[in-house]
Structure formats: C-alpha cells, structure tokens
Amino acid sequence: MSKLTTLHEFIVAKQKDFPFASGELSRLLSDIALAAKIVSNDVRKAGLVDHILGAQGGQNVQGEEQQKLDVVADEAFIRAFENGGEVCGIASEENDDYLAFSSEAAQKGNYVVLFDPLDGSSNIDVNVSIGTIFSIYRRISPNGTPATLADMLQTGDQQVAAGYVLYGSSTILVYSTGKGVNGFTLDPAIGEFFLSHPDMKMPEEGRLYSINEGNLQDFNPTLRAYLDYCQSDQNQTGKPYSGRYIGSLVADFHRNLIKGGIYIYPTVPSAPQGRLRLLYECNPLAFIAEQAGGLATDGQQRILAIKPSQLHQRVGFYIGSKKMVEKAMGN
Ligand code: AHG
Ligand code: MN
Ligand code: MN
C-alpha cells in the first residue's frame, strides 16, 4: 500500500517552498481545513436538522435570500479566522462590509481572507453539491493596526493562496499557493483530509460547457456564435459538446477542472455587471484555473488583472480550459 499523505503533512512539507516562511500561512490553511470539516459536518446533516434546512428569513446585502446554512458556514469560517491569529480581517459575500478584527492578536496577523461561505445556496434544499470559495492576500496596512478596505481591494494577481471546498459526493479541498494545484479528500470517519488529486492540470480542450441557457436570448452575438459552435458537429470533436449546469459555480468548475470544459456567466440585462462576485468567487477560481493551466477572463481581459473598486463588485465570467475560453471570447 502506498503511503497516504495528510493535508497537514503536505502543508508542512510545502512550507519549504517559501524560504523565509514563518509558518503563518501554513497555520491559516490548517484553520481553513478545520472550518471546512465543521461546515462539511453541518452540510451532511442538512436534511435532518430542521433549524439548519430552509430559509433563514433574512436577505444578504445583495438582496438575495440567506439560507441558514449560508449563515452557519459564514460564522464557522469567521470564527476560525478570528481565533487563528494569522488573519487581521475578512470580507464575505454574506456581510455588508468587511470586518477588521479587534483583538490585539488578530491585528498582528499578516493576512486577509475574502470568501463565499456557501456557493450554490439554491441547491441546499435539493441535496445538490455546494461549496466554499476562499482567497488569501497579505495585508497592505501596517501590522498591529486594524485591517483596511485597501487590504481587501487588491487585484487577484496579488493573491498568495486561494482554493475551495466542495461538499459533493465526498468533501474535497482544492487549493494553490501559486505552485500548482492539489486536492484533498476528507475521510469523514476519521476527520482527516488526504491528498487525492496531486498536481491537478486542467485539460487545454474539453467538450463540456456550463452556462444558464435560460438567458440565451440576451447573450451577445459572439457568445451565441460560440454556443452554436459547441452544439454543432463543426467543432474540433466532430460532434456536439455536452451541456452541464449545476447552478453551483464551484461544482461546475471542479468538474471542468478535472474533465476539461468551460463555465460562462456573461453580462446580461438582468445582471448588467455579471452575476458573480469578483472578490469572493471569480478571483480565487481564476487563480486556481491559471495555476492548473486554464484561463479566466471577463470576456475581454484576465480576471486576475482587474483592479477592484468595490467589495461586492460583479463581473462577467469565462473560466475553464484555455482553448475553450479563448474561442468563447471570439479569438
Ligand atoms: P451563491 O449561491 O453564492 O449566491 O452563488 C450562486 C452563483 C453560482 O454558484 C451559480 O453558478 C450561479 O450563481 C447561478 O446563477 P443562475 O441561477 O442565474 O444561473
Ligand atoms: Mn457563490
Ligand atoms: Mn454564497
């Protein structure tokens, strides 16, 4: 039997990639793994526990209905970050404003984390895969002071690490610190993540496309032409591609990362700036995609090159296999 590598062993071994590493980022990744296990456990009980399943009754800052599990996940991750001592502040899709932690210990933390605690929340009540997406930056503000808005509004290229947790048929944590992408599957019996997907690479081409085709009438001519291409036998495979749309970006992305494919959420009249959030969803997944050899753009430019101006900024999003994204953009 080959030796199993736990997430913890992997994080410690990889710390050597960064010559002056103090272990702070390693501890932060371990905090994320702990919160992921807590949320995974809550997700697995979702159908059993009445007070978790169903709408919470509130709306988040963007006017979307908050599901209870959204709030549970948000709190679990915030608690892990606040108590860890590596993070001075966070911004979350579920909260109106960013949060600068007040304790002296937290203000000595060198990192900020931006995250979507529960992606695909409309899928909670119907037992379909959901996830958590996170993005990590080094703070710009001086150590020992409260985190600032400028810490949060850095371009995606400045990310030091990013990843996601997918609560699917199993729970998997995929992350990158800028030296490739690795995936770890949770063994729920012993509560340990094991390296299951080393050095993940996104195929350059694929034959899966993920888009909400209900919006077809509103798509721009370039995108409509690309969908015609996907659905025809004139594409590079000689037969129509397959459409796959889960409605949880993180799950659609994960499948496309492994099998090859493209996910598109363009700007449309009902979402004129796009549907997906630059800081919590697009930047972290774009970082993973590029690290795995894929590409992510807003239809014109690289996602990771966009300078954010607001916390909850939305963008059009094209992400996946490099050649597919280039073709979808009309190149
Ligand atoms: P969230 O649950 O965090 O609000 O994100 C939902 C996102 C994404 O996961 C999904 O692909 C997309 O919104 C679905 O939007 P449509 O229902 O408009 O297709
Ligand atoms: Mn989301
Ligand atoms: Mn969400």
Side-chain angles (χ1 to χ4, degrees):
M1 195 175 89
S2 62
K3 188 190 172 306
L4 296 174
T5 304
T6 67
L7 174 62
H8 183 70
E9 287 170 336
F10 187 88
I11 290 172
V12 170
K14 289 293 163 188
Q15 203 176 302
K16 296 193 205 85
D17 287 352
F18 303 91
F20 302 106
S22 63
E24 199 179 0
L25 181 61
S26 300
R27 289 195 296 280
L28 171 50
L29 292 168
S30 298
D31 293 344
I32 289 175
L34 176 63
K37 285 184 222 173
I38 292 168
V39 173
S40 179
N41 191 45
D42 287 327
V43 168
R44 300 303 172 203
K45 289 188 297 197
L48 294 169
V49 184
D50 276 339
H51 71 91
I52 289 180
L53 188 67
Q56 201 214 16
Q59 288 193 336
N60 71 9
V61 58
Q62 292 150 72
E64 297 155 329
E65 191 177 76
Q66 271 184 329
Q67 301 285 327
K68 276 193 172 170
L69 216 43
D70 286 336
V71 179
V72 168
D74 195 39
E75 288 174 354
F77 277 93
I78 290 177
R79 217 177 302 126
F81 297 139
E82 189 159 23
N83 296 329
E86 303 89 28
V87 176
C88 58
I90 60 101
S92 153
E93 181 193 281
E94 294 302 325
N95 301 310
D96 204 339
D97 206 351
Y98 72 94
L99 188 58
F101 294 141
S102 55
S103 78
E104 204 179 313
Q107 290 186 5
K108 289 206 173 110
N110 280 313
Y111 294 96
V112 294
V113 186
L114 290 81
F115 63 104
D116 178 357
L118 234 272
D119 175 64
S121 31
S122 68
N123 281 325
I124 296 170
D125 287 359
V126 290
N127 225 323
V128 174
S129 299
I130 50 184
T132 299
I133 310 173
F134 60 90
S135 173
I136 302 174
Y137 297 84
R138 273 192 89 83
R139 70 186 305 174
I140 302 171
S141 56
N143 185 283
T145 63
T148 64
L149 182 60
D151 291 328
M152 309 294 162
L153 296 182
Q154 301 186 55
T155 47
D157 268 330
Q158 299 300 314
Q159 289 173 103
V160 295
Y164 59 85
V165 186
L166 176 61
Y167 314 104
S169 48
S170 59
T171 293
I172 184 167
L173 188 156
V174 174
Y175 81 96
S176 173
T177 54
K179 291 187 185 293
V181 180
N182 292 281
F184 301 81
T185 302
L186 179 66
D187 181 338
I190 55 172
E192 190 83 72
F193 281 103
F194 290 101
L195 179 63
S196 51
H197 295 66
D199 196 19
M200 298 174 85
K201 295 282 178 229
M202 192 164 217
E204 271 213 323
E205 274 282 9
R207 51 172 313 279
L208 299 175
Y209 68 96
S210 314
I211 191 164
N212 183 343
E213 281 186 294
N215 296 326
L216 183 72
Q217 305 294 325
D218 292 327
F219 292 160
N220 65 61
T222 308
L223 183 52
R224 288 183 77 142
Y226 179 67
L227 290 178
D228 283 344
Y229 169 84
C230 291
Q231 293 162 1
S232 78
D233 53 13
Q234 299 302 307
N235 61 50
Q236 41 95 33
T237 63
K239 57 180 185 186
Y241 293 170
S242 292
R244 293 281 185 278
Y245 191 72
I246 295 171
S248 296
L249 164 66
V250 63
D252 279 311
F253 174 76
H254 182 71
R255 184 204 50 244
N256 292 348
L257 170 61
I258 291 174
K259 294 192 166 180
I262 185 169
Y263 174 101
I264 305 173
Y265 210 115
T267 57
V268 282
S270 59
Q273 309 301 321
R275 164 102 167 77
L276 298 164
R277 297 83 170 170
L278 175 60
L279 299 183
Y280 317 118
E281 295 167 317
C282 304
N283 271 336
L285 294 185
F287 187 81
I288 297 285
E290 288 199 4
Q291 282 294 317
L295 183 62
T297 75
D298 65 355
Q300 266 89 43
Q301 59 172 328
R302 277 174 72 238
I303 288 291
L304 297 180
I306 299 173
K307 173 74 187 125
S309 54
Q310 302 169 31
L311 279 179
H312 297 290
Q313 188 169 337
R314 296 175 190 254
V315 282
F317 198 36
Y318 293 56
I319 187 168
S321 293
K322 193 161 182 288
K323 288 192 172 158
M324 296 179 88
V325 173
E326 284 166 351
K327 180 115 187 133
M329 290 166 67
N331 298 341

